[in-house]
Amino acid sequence: MTDALVVSGLTKTYRGAGRGPRVVAVDGISFTLAAGGSLGVVGESGSGKTTLAQMIVGLAEPDSGTVVIDGRDRRDLRRGRRARLQRATEAQMVFQDPYGSLDRRLDVAGALADTLRRHGTPKDRIARDVAALMDRVGLASRLANSRPHELSGGQRQRVAIAKALAIDPTVLVLDEAVSALDVSVQAQILTLLDEIRAESGVALVFVSHDLAVVGQVTDQILVMYRGRAVETGDTDQVLRRPEHPYTEMLLSSAPGPRWQPERVAELRAALAAAT
């Protein structure tokens, strides 16, 4: 199986507030993801997950390190419109808030047609491809003329996924893409993503603070703490037998039978003392 995504030594820092020190958001992250594979990136707010996701899709530039998608290094892409389109084709992102990521002036068909048009789909194929995309993500044809405010949260997220898939990306990055949805709709979207991955071979990078969600949809996991990867491995193995205290803390913090507030406090204190 070929590598869809190879991330090597990615580092990103930001200037602190006022004259404060620079903040290391991502510190030397490396991993490889095969075509059709799925990776969960987990950690608390501020751990660097979203910055990592932004560098993968080209919304942020790393201070050092490389992102190679389908054998192409982002640094080798030439400037200009063709390069921007190539970058977009390689990796696409689905955000947490689908309402904020959709143009409120466009209905579903118009939003999908606009994406296809911008990426060179011949005019005589657009209507057919719009219908195929809607069918692919489980959107009823009657919704073609609906605008974002007329859709449910789950329907809007399906539109966002369809827009991302419209240009056949190698990698699909989902940043907290189901966290705003209720549990039943979450399950539907996760099932849809798994079906799309199996059908198309797109690689998924699933960014989330929710370990239960990551456990349902990913094969591999990367746990981030203060910008660093503190644990990686098979999702089932890491969630069943965590080796790093931070991973154990995340699991102990999650609602459910493993919730242990006293253990969370103990582990958090130990982590603080070690840094």
Side-chain angles (χ1 to χ4, degrees):
M1 188 174 291
T2 59
D3 291 334
L5 174 64
V6 180
V7 169
S8 302
L10 278 192
T11 299
K12 182 70 175 178
T13 60
Y14 293 103
R15 188 175 302 280
R19 295 186 178 181
R22 294 184 71 84
V23 177
V24 181
V26 174
D27 189 1
I29 297 292
S30 300
F31 64 86
T32 298
L33 183 59
S38 56
L39 173 74
V41 180
V42 301
E44 296 174 299
S45 296
S47 62
K49 309 185 303 295
T50 293
T51 300
L52 174 61
Q54 290 172 341
M55 288 191 287
I56 292 171
V57 300
L59 293 178
E61 291 298 325
D63 297 335
S64 61
T66 58
V67 176
V68 177
I69 299 176
D70 199 18
R72 293 186 290 273
D73 191 323
R74 286 199 180 283
R75 298 174 303 177
D76 296 335
L77 292 170
R78 294 173 294 182
R79 297 180 183 276
R81 183 172 184 273
R82 176 175 292 183
R84 291 196 299 273
L85 293 180
Q86 180 65 65
R87 291 163 75 97
T89 303
E90 289 175 339
Q92 284 285 288
M93 193 164 182
V94 177
F95 298 92
Q96 177 179 0
D97 179 11
Y99 194 64
S101 65
L102 298 175
D103 188 333
R104 300 176 191 183
R105 299 168 299 178
L106 297 176
D107 59 23
V108 172
L112 297 178
D114 182 63
T115 300
L116 291 165
R117 191 180 301 112
R118 287 173 181 270
H119 290 269
T121 301
K123 187 175 181 179
D124 60 354
R125 280 181 43 194
I126 287 179
R128 183 191 67 187
D129 287 0
V130 165
L133 281 167
M134 291 184 63
D135 182 64
R136 188 177 184 186
V137 300
L139 282 169
S141 58
R142 61 181 171 78
L143 298 174
N145 300 122
S146 299
R147 287 180 167 77
H149 71 277
E150 299 172 311
L151 302 173
S152 68
Q155 289 169 339
R156 287 195 290 264
Q157 199 59 289
R158 288 173 188 267
V159 176
I161 293 169
K163 279 172 58 67
L165 294 174
I167 50 181
D168 195 24
T170 301
V171 178
L172 186 60
V173 180
L174 303 112
D175 188 7
E176 300 284 6
V178 299
S179 63
L181 306 175
D182 65 45
V183 174
S184 62
V185 179
Q186 277 189 9
Q188 294 170 14
I189 297 297
L190 293 176
T191 298
L192 169 66
L193 291 170
D194 215 32
E195 291 172 350
I196 288 170
R197 178 169 68 102
E199 167 198 311
S200 67
V202 66
L204 299 182
V205 177
F206 203 96
V207 177
S208 180
H209 68 281
D210 190 329
L211 293 173
V213 167
V214 168
Q216 293 179 57
V217 78
T218 67
D219 304 320
Q220 301 289 315
I221 195 168
L222 183 153
V223 183
M224 291 187 69
Y225 176 60
R226 296 189 175 183
R228 296 183 177 181
V230 296
E231 188 161 3
T232 60
D234 292 342
T235 300
D236 286 344
Q237 181 175 341
V238 170
L239 296 185
R240 289 176 184 275
R241 293 183 295 276
E243 295 182 357
H244 194 277
Y246 181 69
T247 311
E248 184 185 347
M249 190 200 75
L250 292 177
L251 288 165
S252 299
S253 302
R258 298 181 71 165
W259 183 56
Q260 302 176 55
E262 296 84 3
R263 181 60 175 158
V264 170
E266 177 186 338
L267 289 165
R268 194 177 291 279
L271 288 163
T275 56

